[in-house]
Amino acid sequence: MTSEPRLVEVRRNVMKKNDLLAAGLRDSFRRAGVYVVSLVSSPGSGKTTLLEKTLSQLGRTHRVAALVGDLATDNDAARLARSGAPVRQIVTGTVCHLDAEMVRGALDGWPGEELDFLFIENVGNLVCPALFDLGERKKVVIASVTEGEDKPLKYPHMFRACDVLLLNKIDLLPHVSFDTERFAANARRVNARVRILPLSATRGDGLPEWLGFLRGELTNEPPRVEV
Amino acid sequence: MTSEPRLVEVRRNVMKKNDLLAAGLRDSFRRAGVYVVSLVSSPGSGKTTLLEKTLSQLGRTHRVAALVGDLATDNDAARLARSGAPVRQIVTGTVCHLDAEMVRGALDGWPGEELDFLFIENVGNLVCPALFDLGERKKVVIASVTEGEDKPLKYPHMFRACDVLLLNKIDLLPHVSFDTERFAANARRVNARVRILPLSATRGDGLPEWLGFLRGELTNEPPRVEV
């Protein structure tokens, strides 16, 4: 994002193109019966650890897969592949977010109708990914208790754009100065409808609620459309 | 940042303009004898706490001031102003980084020659700020032990661009899985010359070394140019 007027104009066209493409993706995911969740957070919030646990545990009852965005390295894809789920890496170079075109490209040749859940892990960045629709059904932000209670107010675009807010690393609460109630109040100031789930991806607290939420969402989905 | 060709072209011109403006700023800082440090990190790494301590403690012996960039709110500026140092806030809206033009605008009317140190706290983002020169003398990245050892490899542009790497929150080392040696080795893989200082901004470990580094830098500066 930038303040430069010429760039703002060009970017507006890019966003419009992205929105159209994302709408097409969303439609094809719906028709194929794939529930798509995108995960965004600042670097080091525990996205990959959470996704690793999610793929392993949800993979016992559902068909799951993941796309993983990073500037460089395929470390995360290698970590996630240990869950046994199909994983594809998107290396973005200097690009600070995923976009719908990258998602479409990465899905090329994947039989979408054989999946229940597709998770898309974005580049670690609380700013730019807020603006790019990836065709997901739910956008999930992960924040951690080590980051401070003020983050929803300081990064309002992202917290406003999300459907679910996972508050991670609650196992560290005894060791940091963090007021969970104040964090939740700050989050609700920018996004009154957001669902907040506290958890510890490493220790396992809150994972049953998170997985229960996902399973429930699938049950509530309209039936798959035969094409 | 984006992969869109038209946007890449426009952005190249924006970067060129930024580089020219930053070179001008760097020259005027040098002539005024102001040592400028920019601070970048992911959200929640402890930039503001570190800066608060730095302004308070360095302010006893030197003339210090700060510019603070945020998408929204002036919470950080209010926190930093408690140190007694002059502080100005730059609210960037949806813009994910500071640029040289914003810095120039924020400095308007400030008597630079009355300062020894100016600190510029960037928007919390490990991606985009790597590419924007602000005319600083040193670029400092703050990472924290809660973020994992792999961050230098996953966000190589930022770790490559920095002069000093502060490893914050070492007070949490007993409670997280983090290998300091591995983190340092990863940092040196992308930036062999980087100086790494471990510290805890909240508890105070490493602050004397950080402040000693800054004071030493000022001593090593060429003498102020009279204009």
Side-chain angles (χ1 to χ4, degrees):
Chain A
M1 302 298 105
T2 180
S3 56
E4 193 74 18
R6 184 78 192 88
L7 196 51
V8 169
E9 183 198 328
V10 177
R11 183 170 289 274
R12 195 173 298 129
N13 294 332
V14 170
M15 301 300 298
K16 208 160 142 185
K17 197 174 141 193
N18 186 76
D19 284 349
L20 280 172
L21 194 51
L25 278 176
R26 184 171 292 108
D27 190 52
S28 62
F29 290 140
R30 190 184 54 77
R31 292 159 72 96
V34 188
Y35 190 93
V36 181
V37 176
S38 74
L39 300 168
V40 278
S41 79
S42 57
S45 291
K47 275 192 306 304
T48 312
T49 302
L50 176 75
L51 189 47
E52 211 173 347
K53 301 279 178 93
T54 304
L55 293 175
S56 294
Q57 298 189 23
L58 201 60
R60 293 176 198 149
T61 49
H62 293 81
R63 299 162 304 170
V64 297
L67 299 181
V68 190
D70 273 306
L71 301 183
T73 85
D74 60 356
N75 296 358
D76 284 359
R79 269 176 73 185
L80 294 172
R82 293 201 299 259
S83 69
V87 177
R88 287 192 179 178
Q89 177 84 46
I90 304 173
V91 176
T92 66
T94 55
V95 181
C96 56
H97 57 268
L98 294 179
D99 63 29
E101 180 61 48
M102 295 180 205
V103 170
R104 185 169 67 173
L107 290 174
D108 197 38
W110 255 15
E113 63 277 9
E114 292 173 11
L115 287 179
D116 298 312
F117 287 101
L118 173 68
F119 295 90
I120 306 175
E121 182 185 339
N122 218 313
V123 174
N125 182 336
L126 269 189
V127 188
C128 318
L131 304 175
F132 287 82
D133 186 355
L134 304 180
E136 69 274 82
R137 183 77 177 75
K138 287 275 189 282
K139 195 186 269 268
V140 175
V141 167
I142 303 166
S144 79
V145 303
T146 61
E147 293 168 32
E149 307 96 350
D150 57 342
K151 294 304 164 289
L153 305 181
K154 289 184 65 183
Y155 302 87
H157 314 297
M158 184 62 87
F159 286 86
R160 196 170 292 135
C162 75
D163 304 288
V164 179
L165 173 51
L166 301 180
L167 178 61
N168 196 15
K169 306 195 188 181
I170 59 169
D171 55 296
L172 293 177
L173 276 175
H175 312 295
V176 294
S177 160
F178 184 88
D179 181 338
T180 304
E181 288 307 308
R182 202 167 134 216
F183 174 81
N186 286 340
R188 294 225 164 81
R189 264 176 72 184
V190 298
N191 186 345
R193 63 172 179 76
V194 73
R195 177 190 294 254
I196 305 176
L197 295 175
L199 54 81
S200 164
T202 54
R203 204 172 60 183
D205 323 38
L207 280 186
E209 289 76 10
W210 162 238
L211 298 173
F213 163 76
L214 291 172
R215 290 192 182 104
E217 285 291 296
L218 206 62
T219 314
N220 298 334
E221 282 292 280
R224 181 183 300 236
V225 178
E226 295 303 332
V227 285
Chain B
M1 302 300 102
T2 179
S3 56
E4 193 75 16
R6 184 76 193 89
L7 196 50
V8 169
E9 183 199 328
V10 177
R11 183 171 287 276
R12 197 175 295 130
N13 294 332
V14 169
M15 301 300 298
K16 207 159 142 186
K17 196 174 141 194
N18 185 77
D19 285 349
L20 279 171
L21 194 51
L25 278 176
R26 185 172 291 107
D27 190 49
S28 63
F29 289 141
R30 189 183 53 77
R31 292 159 71 97
V34 188
Y35 190 94
V36 181
V37 177
S38 73
L39 300 168
V40 278
S41 80
S42 57
S45 291
K47 274 191 306 305
T48 311
T49 302
L50 176 75
L51 189 47
E52 212 173 344
K53 300 280 177 94
T54 305
L55 293 175
S56 294
Q57 298 189 24
L58 201 61
R60 293 178 199 147
T61 49
H62 293 81
R63 299 162 303 171
V64 297
L67 299 181
V68 191
D70 273 307
L71 301 183
T73 85
D74 60 357
N75 295 359
D76 284 359
R79 269 176 73 185
L80 294 173
R82 294 201 299 259
S83 69
V87 176
R88 287 192 180 179
Q89 177 85 44
I90 304 173
V91 176
T92 66
T94 56
V95 181
C96 56
H97 59 268
L98 294 180
D99 63 29
E101 179 62 46
M102 295 180 206
V103 170
R104 185 168 69 172
L107 290 174
D108 197 37
W110 256 14
E113 63 278 8
E114 292 172 11
L115 287 179
D116 297 313
F117 287 100
L118 173 68
F119 295 90
I120 306 175
E121 182 184 340
N122 218 314
V123 175
N125 182 337
L126 270 189
V127 189
C128 318
L131 304 175
F132 287 82
D133 187 355
L134 304 179
E136 69 273 83
R137 183 78 176 72
K138 287 275 189 280
K139 196 186 267 272
V140 176
V141 167
I142 303 167
S144 79
V145 304
T146 60
E147 294 168 31
E149 306 97 349
D150 57 342
K151 293 303 163 291
L153 305 181
K154 289 184 65 181
Y155 302 87
H157 314 296
M158 184 62 87
F159 285 87
R160 196 171 291 135
C162 75
D163 303 289
V164 180
L165 173 50
L166 302 179
L167 178 61
N168 195 16
K169 306 194 188 180
I170 58 169
D171 55 295
L172 293 177
L173 276 174
H175 312 294
V176 293
S177 160
F178 185 87
D179 181 337
T180 305
E181 289 306 307
R182 201 166 135 215
F183 174 81
N186 285 340
R188 294 224 164 82
R189 266 177 70 184
V190 298
N191 186 344
R193 62 171 179 75
V194 73
R195 176 190 295 255
I196 305 175
L197 295 174
L199 54 81
S200 163
T202 53
R203 204 172 59 182
D205 323 38
L207 281 186
E209 289 76 10
W210 162 238
L211 298 173
F213 163 75
L214 291 171
R215 290 193 182 103
E217 285 291 295
L218 207 63
T219 314
N220 297 333
E221 281 293 280
R224 179 183 300 236
V225 178
E226 296 302 332
V227 283

